Amino acid sequence: MKLIRNFVNGEFVTTHGARFAKVSPVTGEIVAEIESADEALVNSAVSAASAALSGYWSLFSVSQRTALLQAIAAEIGRRSKEFIDAEIADTGKPYALASTLDVPRGAANFLAFSDLMQRTPQETWTTETPDGRGAINTVTYAPKGVIAVICPWNLPLLLMTWKVAPALACGNTVVVKPSEESPSTATLLAEVMNAVGIPPGVYNVVHGHGPKATGEFLTQHPGVDAITFTGESKTGEAIMKNAAEGLRDVSFELGGKNAGIVFADCDFDAAVEGIARATFLNCGQVCLGTERVYVERPIFERFVTALASKARSLKPGDPYASDTTIGPLISREHREKVLSYFAKAKADGATCHAGGGIPSLPENYANGAWIEPTVWTGLPETSAVIREEIFGPCCHVAPFDSEDEAIARANDSPYGLATSIWTQDVSRANRVARRIRVGIAWVNSWFLRDLRTPFGGAGISGIGREGGSHSLAFYTEMRNVCVKL
Ligand code: NAD
């Protein structure tokens, strides 16, 4: 049985303490055991990160750090098959997805922030003084300190490196807590760190659960200077309470209940393809995914038929088979949650156009977390299915009659992460995008990311923005140095 260990101060440690099992969402079999980090181990990880911060990492020059970041990206590329296999073992996602999205983006995150560190202009002001000599103000960017990086399971390597890369680029050290459901790639990355010569203590990994366990030991630790978290909005609230002790800074990327808006003048096939991708990619487990679709009435019925047909065409199965296009949910527990929304949809009077249950698959997948891609219509806007984040491969489609109505319905949510707007009228696209309260509005596209742009959510979808210079702002403490001439 594979044993997944914690990584502290450059070494994999054996704790002989509590362990928990990693269950394959494909087959339901236990595929690994994970050593849970207790409070003492979390303390050691934070101490190691703190010593590495003041001892050397924050003292490295930008070019020393960025050279190492580039080496990490190259090493992920060299070992990409291992990373893909690890991501598949934890999540069951299709090879086609892990090999084109998760792992390449993991490497790209290190390259992007290495590049940004070298190119970001620095702020300087010359200031007049009464004696006429003046002063020069420069802004320096010191690392913020020890950063706790708390990650979810849906895009494990991609989302973890999205935080680790800028944190390290800015001279911080990190203690990463991957999701208990997806411990493997963070652990593999520890091997990469050692291989390329990242000094001990700069990157630490502690495994375990969140509440009253490893996650909280970390967020409560007074030696942690800032917390960057990706996960559910409710968890964000709990972490923020802990961050309040000692007034630690937070950056939160949280849940979504994103709306897609499809106008009658859209490129029909592209819109169907785009909404299908936004609903079903990664078995619907993408924070940016679309669970509410509003379609202009003249094309409503045709659109529902086409989307339902896309849903039915997705093929679950062996993650390594070239014709597999959808994986399972992350766990049977998560499937119970998603199925409870399927039941609510039925109870609230939905018409189900595709899916709605568990697919029939070969016997060896019977204990996996498989679920059918699902499309509904006919629900009232008050239904929990329309109001709450489900995080499964499903959406509700409703007709609308005017631009104002579509905007009002899209905005009728406490979440505010993303939207996608489908129209060939560029003026309308701009008008609508500006009126929807979200962190990112895609027009005729979805999940098209430029890592230099701000990323985050409005409302209960997040606090702050990361990406490009916005990451550098979060991961540094800006200092004004004023020199009187
Ligand atoms: P989650 O909030 O349950 O868990 C995320 C991480 O937080 C895990 O590592 C977990 O162990 C830890 N955790 C849980 N409770 C904690 C606590 N009290 N203190 C410290 N740590 C704690 O989220 P999840 O189920 O892993 O991921 C799915 C959620 O993540 C969805 O809501 C999704 O929308 C969101 N998400 C958001 C983004 C984004 O960029 N906005 C990206 C991906 C996922």
Side-chain angles (χ1 to χ4, degrees):
M1 176 71 59
K2 186 174 162 199
L3 179 65
I4 296 180
R5 292 182 297 164
N6 297 281
F7 181 73
V8 174
N9 207 22
E11 289 180 356
F12 288 98
V13 289
T14 302
T15 59
H16 306 292
R19 290 181 180 181
F20 58 97
K22 171 61 204 167
V23 173
S24 162
V26 174
T27 60
E29 289 165 351
I30 295 178
V31 286
E33 280 206 315
I34 305 151
E35 290 202 329
S36 186
D38 61 10
E39 196 160 6
L41 193 64
V42 172
N43 290 346
S44 327
V46 175
S47 299
S50 181
L53 176 81
S54 52
Y56 32 83
W57 188 246
S58 65
L59 309 175
F60 275 36
S61 66
V62 168
S63 43
Q64 280 173 306
R65 288 200 300 261
T66 52
L68 282 165
L69 258 57
Q70 287 164 23
I72 296 169
E75 187 67 2
I76 294 174
R78 200 182 66 76
R79 296 180 65 175
S80 69
K81 177 71 170 67
E82 285 171 77
F83 276 95
I84 294 165
D85 289 345
E87 215 68 302
I88 292 173
D90 283 353
T91 64
K93 63 180 71 194
Y95 183 90
L97 184 60
S99 61
T100 54
L101 177 67
D102 298 73
V103 176
R105 246 301 289 282
N109 285 334
F110 285 100
L111 292 180
F113 288 102
S114 155
D115 194 47
L116 263 158
M117 277 309 280
Q118 292 163 323
R119 286 167 191 260
T120 303
Q122 298 192 347
E123 207 177 326
T124 305
W125 296 92
T126 53
T127 308
E128 291 180 11
T129 56
D131 65 6
R133 291 186 184 172
I136 296 177
N137 282 282
T138 54
V139 179
T140 63
Y141 301 84
K144 201 162 249 174
V146 174
I147 312 286
V149 182
I150 317 261
C151 311
W153 43 256
N154 58 329
L155 301 164
L157 181 71
L158 185 161
L159 291 169
M160 188 255 298
T161 53
W162 172 241
K163 312 293 197 154
V164 168
L168 297 191
C170 294
N172 303 279
T173 55
V174 297
V175 181
V176 174
K177 213 254 348 127
S179 166
E180 52 277 25
E181 293 289 356
S182 56
S184 297
T185 44
T187 312
L188 203 48
L189 191 64
E191 290 180 23
V192 166
M193 295 288 176
N194 277 351
V196 304
I198 295 287
V202 171
Y203 174 85
N204 305 275
V205 183
V206 289
H207 292 295
H209 293 83
K212 297 187 175 62
T214 315
E216 273 208 68
F217 300 148
L218 183 57
T219 56
Q220 285 171 341
H221 198 296
V224 166
D225 297 295
I227 301 166
T228 181
F229 166 70
T230 308
E232 283 189 29
S233 301
K234 273 271 163 236
T235 312
E237 283 179 7
I239 291 178
M240 201 163 179
K241 285 182 188 144
N242 286 337
E245 286 285 329
L247 299 172
R248 275 92 48 79
D249 205 355
V250 296
S251 170
F252 285 171
E253 292 175 0
L254 307 176
K257 188 71 185 177
N258 311 300
I261 302 180
V262 184
F263 287 95
D265 71 347
C266 68
D267 173 338
F268 186 83
D269 291 343
V272 172
E273 188 65 44
I275 294 287
R277 207 172 140 255
T279 303
F280 306 123
L281 188 83
N282 208 32
C283 199
Q285 302 164 117
V286 180
C287 55
L288 306 160
T290 299
E291 291 185 353
R292 301 183 290 147
V293 188
Y294 299 102
V295 180
E296 207 169 4
R297 200 173 297 273
I299 60 164
F300 174 70
E301 278 174 19
R302 196 175 143 224
F303 188 91
V304 172
T305 305
L307 187 65
S309 156
K310 282 267 172 212
R312 282 190 294 269
S313 73
L314 293 169
K315 189 172 176 312
D318 177 359
Y320 289 92
S322 59
D323 60 346
T324 296
T325 46
I326 190 163
L329 292 170
I330 189 68
S331 63
R332 294 278 284 238
E333 293 73 34
H334 185 51
R335 186 172 73 174
E336 284 312 306
K337 178 187 155 190
V338 176
L339 284 174
S340 77
Y341 283 98
F342 283 22
K344 277 180 196 154
K346 203 170 177 183
D348 289 350
T351 303
C352 186
H353 299 264
I358 294 171
S360 46
L361 286 169
E363 207 178 310
N364 54 331
Y365 294 152
N367 293 322
W370 301 91
I371 195 153
E372 287 179 327
T374 296
V375 176
W376 303 286
T377 58
L379 284 170
E381 290 282 304
T382 49
S383 169
V385 174
I386 292 189
R387 304 214 59 82
E388 297 169 13
E389 183 185 46
I390 302 172
F391 222 51
C394 52
C395 68
H396 177 261
V397 194
F400 69 85
D401 294 299
S402 73
E403 196 176 298
D404 281 349
E405 182 197 345
I407 293 167
R409 290 171 80 173
N411 279 337
D412 184 17
S413 169
Y415 290 100
L417 190 55
T419 189
S420 69
I421 301 158
W422 300 84
T423 173
Q424 301 205 52
D425 178 340
V426 177
S427 302
R428 169 154 60 197
N430 254 300
R431 220 167 38 230
V432 175
R434 281 156 196 262
R435 287 179 61 196
I436 299 191
R437 191 193 60 133
V438 284
I440 185 160
W442 276 290
V443 174
N444 298 327
S445 57
W446 176 77
F447 208 167
L448 178 59
R449 292 280 294 115
D450 182 324
L451 306 186
R452 297 166 298 185
T453 58
F455 182 83
I460 65 167
S461 287
I463 294 184
R465 296 289 183 275
E466 295 199 34
S469 58
H470 308 277
S471 293
L472 306 188
F474 177 71
Y475 293 106
T476 54
E477 205 61 76
M478 278 180 246
R479 183 175 302 134
N480 174 204
V481 177
C482 176
V483 179
K484 172 83 171 38
L485 298 175

